[in-house]
Amino acid sequence: MGREGILVVVSGFSGAGKGTLMKALVKQYDEYALSISATTRKPREGETHGKEYFFLSREEFQTMIQENALIEYAQYVENYYGTPKAYVQQQMAAGRDVILEIEIQGAMKVKEQYPEALLLFVTPPSAAELKRRLISRGTESPEVIEARLKRAAEEAEYMGDYDYLVINDDLDTCVKEMHALIQAQHSRTSRQGKFIQQIKKELNEL
Ligand code: 5GP
């Protein structure tokens, strides 16, 4: 029986390793479609337009908002980030699970529009490890690192609003765990209405 795509929202502290995790997940399991966000942030070294993000000017981003082309958008440490609607809708309609790697305000807006979405929160094993990872990434200034750690403390307040917590200690373990959680979501009885109807009908006909 054909199954419908799930919307998976993945949030986590900046520096939790979400980017690496998402890349590994879609590489290992080709059934997942990773949404590419729009942002007004400048590309980091090695990032390309259309791959990690669609890098837009503030004006271009405003246009997308006005045209209602974003599922959600949020401001995060002085830049705007948003999820383009078209890709997500196309992929879900085609039965693929779509992964959004977005911050908390956006996650909550998605949950309002898609109550069946699966919300996962990724965290490093400890605060000290988070700080170490942010510093060793070497892409941000000390001020930006400070701002992101402050933001992490605020974001921690909302961890309980997510469905599952995923502790990113070992990459491979974490990838397997996320895959298992998404697959489990497919099996929820609330998503299996068609199957339940069918087997009931078959049983009555025996
Ligand atoms: P970064 O600048 O490190 O790539 O991303 C900063 C934060 O923005 C991360 O927490 C990331 O998950 C979030 N983010 C990326 N894309 C989106 C989006 O489309 N919407 C929202 N709300 N947050 C996003």
Side-chain angles (χ1 to χ4, degrees):
M1 193 176 289
R3 60 183 201 172
E4 286 167 20
I6 288 177
L7 196 52
V8 184
V9 176
V10 180
S11 301
F13 308 127
S14 174
K18 281 166 297 165
T20 316
L21 195 56
M22 293 305 101
K23 278 186 190 156
L25 183 73
V26 294
K27 195 168 168 215
Q28 203 161 326
Y29 305 97
D30 59 10
E31 68 256 46
Y32 298 132
L34 192 56
S35 161
I36 301 169
S37 295
T39 183
T40 58
R41 161 165 88 59
K42 297 276 165 289
R44 293 188 187 121
E45 209 179 307
E47 287 183 334
T48 36
H49 182 77
K51 197 161 167 245
E52 283 80 13
Y53 283 105
F54 295 107
F55 295 99
L56 306 182
S57 65
R58 289 208 164 217
E59 292 70 32
E60 288 166 329
F61 198 93
Q62 284 297 337
T63 305
M64 287 195 85
I65 297 172
Q66 278 153 16
E67 290 175 348
N68 199 22
L70 300 172
I71 290 182
E72 60 72 38
Y73 67 92
Q75 193 175 359
Y76 178 91
V77 193
E78 297 185 353
N79 283 299
Y80 286 101
Y81 296 81
T83 308
K85 199 180 271 180
Y87 178 80
V88 172
Q89 290 184 341
Q90 281 157 15
Q91 295 296 317
M92 280 176 70
R96 293 186 80 192
D97 296 338
V98 181
I99 303 179
L100 310 182
E101 193 245 285
I102 64 178
E103 54 69 66
I104 289 177
Q105 305 164 70
M108 296 306 139
K109 287 186 213 154
V110 170
K111 186 77 184 173
E112 280 168 22
Q113 292 173 61
Y114 298 89
E116 292 244 315
L118 176 66
L119 269 56
L120 308 179
F121 195 94
V122 180
T123 170
S126 68
E129 176 62 14
L130 178 67
K131 189 170 181 183
R132 195 193 66 72
R133 287 186 197 174
L134 270 174
I135 293 170
S136 71
R137 184 153 79 181
T139 52
E140 257 85 34
S141 65
E143 292 75 29
V144 171
I145 291 175
E146 209 48 50
R148 287 184 173 224
L149 284 171
K150 195 163 161 273
R151 178 71 176 225
E154 291 162 13
E155 289 184 339
E157 295 294 322
Y158 297 91
M159 288 163 85
D161 292 334
Y162 284 71
D163 295 312
Y164 295 98
L165 200 63
V166 182
I167 297 174
N168 184 12
D169 200 354
D170 173 71
L171 182 72
D172 281 345
T173 312
C174 205
V175 166
K176 288 198 182 79
E177 207 175 309
M178 292 186 79
H179 177 64
L181 288 169
I182 300 168
Q183 293 316 302
Q185 184 77 352
H186 276 288
S187 305
R188 291 185 77 97
T189 50
S190 61
R191 294 189 59 88
Q192 298 294 333
K194 276 189 203 150
F195 180 86
I196 293 171
Q197 285 304 323
Q198 178 67 23
I199 202 153
K200 271 185 180 166
K201 186 166 160 269
E202 287 170 11
L203 285 166
N204 284 326
E205 286 165 5
L206 280 183

